[in-house]
Amino acid sequence: MTNPVHIYRTEREDTAQLDTIDEAKAELADEELAQLDLTRYDAAVAKMMALMGMD
């Protein structure tokens, strides 16, 4: 059985990492942002939103 505390800690850590990425993205120029492959980032955001019931 999965430890609920571990899931919560991982969710917090993952959310913190996504927030850090969002902050870094906000500092980029539009041209720089357009060059990024955000496929994995978008998938991670969608997964976190689904886990949080926000999909």
Side-chain angles (χ1 to χ4, degrees), residues 1-33:
M1 177 171 252
T2 305
N3 182 343
V5 173
H6 175 70
I7 291 171
Y8 176 71
R9 185 179 68 238
T10 300
E11 182 179 315
R12 271 195 341 225
E13 292 167 355
D14 291 347
T15 302
Q17 288 178 349
L18 292 173
D19 289 343
T20 299
I21 293 169
D22 285 338
E23 291 169 8
K25 285 174 40 187
E27 295 179 15
L28 297 175
D30 290 340
E31 298 81 21
E32 295 171 313
L33 191 56

Side-chain angles (χ1 to χ4, degrees), residues 24-42:
K25 285 174 40 187
E27 295 179 15
L28 297 175
D30 290 340
E31 298 81 21
E32 295 171 313
L33 191 56
Q35 294 178 19
L36 297 178
D37 178 2
L38 298 174
T39 305
R40 291 173 60 190
Y41 167 81
D42 291 338

